[in-house]
Amino acid sequence: MPDRNHQPADDALAAAQRAERDARRKASTEASASAPRGSDAERDQTPLQAGGRAESEATRGAVPDAAQIEHAAALLDAGELVAFPTETVYGLGGDAESPEAVARIYAAKGRPANHPVIVHLAPHGDPQYWVEHLPADAQRLIDAFWPGPLTLILKRAAHIPAAVSGGQDSVGLRCPSHPVAQALLDAFSARRGGHGGVAAPSANRFGHVSPTTAQHVRDEFGSAIHVLDGGASDVGIESTIVDLSRGFPALLRPGHVTPQDIADVLGEMPRLSDGSDASAPRASGTLKAHYAPRTPLALLPFDALERVLSAAQVAGERVALVARASRAGRWADTDGVHFVAAPEDPHAYARDLYGLLRALDRADVARILIEKLPDTIEWIAVNDRLGRAAAAFEARE
Ligand code: TXA
Ligand code: MG
């Protein structure tokens, strides 16, 4: 029986990743067994959110202290940018009501200025302040999923500068559950009479993989951006986005909160956008080619992996092969193949995905081959990100 856990001695990255993962799992088990739950919203979280939150606290290195949070809030107050952890991915934050700060975010990311940015609110922030009108459905979703990985698109209040929504008449709102994000949002909001919001896209250069650790952010921007370190993000992929600005719920981006979770609250399934709706809001997360590593990536049905692998070996190409552990027991690392046994569970897969793509970018492989995952609703968010990453290379060919 092949050893699925086999790692060559020189593969420090993968080994480090595995060690980190094991430590996180252990901490998660310990923390979720003992962690006290505070608010009602916290008690209502799914096990992954709740356990994940505790996990990140338990494994964080130096937790930013009150003075560091105040310093970061003061930077935001002065129109500067601060990268901060959330439970999904790290965000690159600026004052949402300052068109200059928002312009700085676009410039740092190299992102087109007509793309809207999500506004992050403190746990006690008032969504009403930001919108023309808060529909009953929005309040239901807020009650069910905030704080947490759900963004709502709503009609923007007239006094909120259009820059934050790329000139559109809507605004994206989200209240993150990560304690460091909450502390920062609280401190910034307090400086604005309780109404401050932080505009933050993912803290990566436009089109690249989102960061799930402070080091990933440093890898993207060097020392140019001030980063608060809150450990590894637990959810690992960007928030679910639901558009409620057009009279019916529409899913703009799948994430940890699933279409079924939303249907359970609203009593109807959100419409799934297929990219053909011209009236749909522009959203860079909905671009076909996005979230890509630098190394060419291809998604292949399990049955095709063996053939493509042999061809690569004949061509003398060193490739990375990512497949769920249970399906790929017969493979192990060899000279030409860097094998990664991926998690079986969609949430764990999502949590590890971006860190893995970044690690593979540094693993000296010519191509990344990934086993196509089941086309089922539980894999919708992971399939969405993998599909876009692969599309980035299809588009270039
Ligand atoms: O999990 C997340 O959502 C992370 C963390 C940092 O909160 N943020 C994030 O931001 O993924 P970003 O900018 O990388 O992706 C946000 C998506 C974009 O596709 C953006 O265009 C869309 O949300 N969005 C924001 N405001 C919008 C609006 N008013 N209308 C339509 N789409 C909007
Ligand atoms: Mg992004």
Side-chain angles (χ1 to χ4, degrees):
M1 167 114 180
D3 177 8
R4 287 174 203 160
N5 292 324
H6 170 76
Q7 289 292 320
D10 66 348
D11 197 348
L13 265 176
Q17 238 189 8
R18 177 162 293 125
E20 189 195 349
R21 215 164 38 216
D22 290 345
R24 286 169 63 190
R25 287 218 176 93
K26 184 163 177 286
S28 170
T29 320
E30 287 167 4
S32 51
S34 61
R37 301 273 174 255
S39 64
D40 288 344
E42 269 184 273
R43 274 191 294 274
D44 288 341
Q45 285 177 326
T46 64
L48 184 134
Q49 284 171 295
R53 164 108 64 103
E55 169 183 318
S56 147
E57 283 177 82
T59 53
R60 203 175 303 138
V63 183
D65 61 20
Q68 287 168 312
I69 295 287
E70 260 322 307
H71 173 63
L75 287 175
L76 291 174
D77 200 16
E80 302 292 328
L81 305 186
V82 173
F84 62 98
T86 84
E87 70 280 20
T88 57
V89 300
Y90 274 63
L92 179 59
D95 178 359
E97 290 182 89
S98 160
E100 295 76 23
V102 172
R104 279 201 184 115
I105 296 175
Y106 289 126
K109 279 190 64 110
R111 183 190 217 194
N114 65 352
H115 285 283
V117 188
I118 294 171
V119 178
H120 296 69
L121 304 183
H124 302 294
D126 180 8
Q128 301 266 8
Y129 173 78
W130 299 87
V131 302
E132 193 178 84
H133 158 71
L134 194 70
D137 275 355
Q139 191 61 58
R140 286 190 194 104
L141 292 176
I142 287 171
D143 292 343
F145 300 112
W146 281 13
L150 176 71
T151 297
L152 298 177
I153 308 299
L154 299 160
K155 287 275 185 231
R156 177 168 48 84
H159 66 96
I160 303 300
V164 79
S165 52
Q168 301 181 70
D169 64 357
S170 56
V171 64
L173 298 179
R174 156 162 139 77
C175 176
S177 64
H178 194 292
V180 173
Q182 294 194 341
L184 177 67
L185 290 162
D186 269 335
F188 176 67
S189 186
R191 289 170 176 260
R192 296 298 164 86
H195 283 311
V198 174
S202 50
N204 53 277
R205 299 204 185 260
F206 186 61
H208 194 216
V209 176
S210 297
T212 53
T213 67
Q215 187 55 46
H216 294 164
V217 181
R218 292 184 204 109
D219 293 344
E220 292 281 327
F221 298 108
S223 56
I225 300 282
H226 185 79
V227 189
L228 285 176
D229 190 341
S233 298
D234 307 318
V235 173
I237 55 171
E238 305 79 358
S239 60
T240 304
I241 304 183
V242 174
D243 180 15
L244 289 173
S245 70
R246 294 182 291 157
F248 55 86
L251 186 77
L252 296 189
R253 181 173 70 185
H256 181 73
V257 176
T258 66
Q260 188 58 54
D261 292 336
I262 292 157
D264 288 346
V265 172
L266 298 186
E268 67 176 305
M269 265 302 196
R271 289 192 204 175
L272 308 184
S273 94
D274 62 359
S276 64
D277 182 354
S279 72
R282 288 186 307 273
S284 56
T286 62
L287 290 180
K288 194 166 177 234
H290 213 67
Y291 310 114
R294 307 200 194 286
T295 313
L297 178 155
L299 280 179
L300 296 165
F302 187 79
D303 300 342
L305 283 171
E306 194 88 63
R307 184 170 40 79
V308 175
L309 204 57
S310 309
Q313 277 170 325
V314 168
E317 218 184 29
R318 183 171 144 81
V319 297
L321 176 65
V322 180
R324 285 169 297 163
S326 62
R327 308 220 46 189
R330 66 188 131 138
W331 283 313
D333 268 356
T334 64
D335 284 348
V337 184
H338 173 60
F339 175 62
V340 178
E344 302 291 327
D345 163 67
H347 294 313
Y349 200 112
R351 185 194 60 209
D352 293 353
L353 178 61
Y354 290 150
L356 174 64
L357 294 182
R358 283 174 182 271
L360 291 180
D361 258 344
R362 291 153 54 173
D364 191 27
V365 293
R367 277 192 298 153
I368 302 170
L369 307 175
I370 301 188
E371 171 210 3
K372 224 182 183 125
L373 296 159
D375 196 11
T376 55
I377 202 85
E378 56 173 350
W379 287 98
I380 183 175
V382 167
N383 282 335
D384 172 75
R385 302 313 190 278
L386 283 176
R388 288 174 206 282
F393 299 99
E394 287 155 17
R396 273 173 222 174
E397 273 161 9

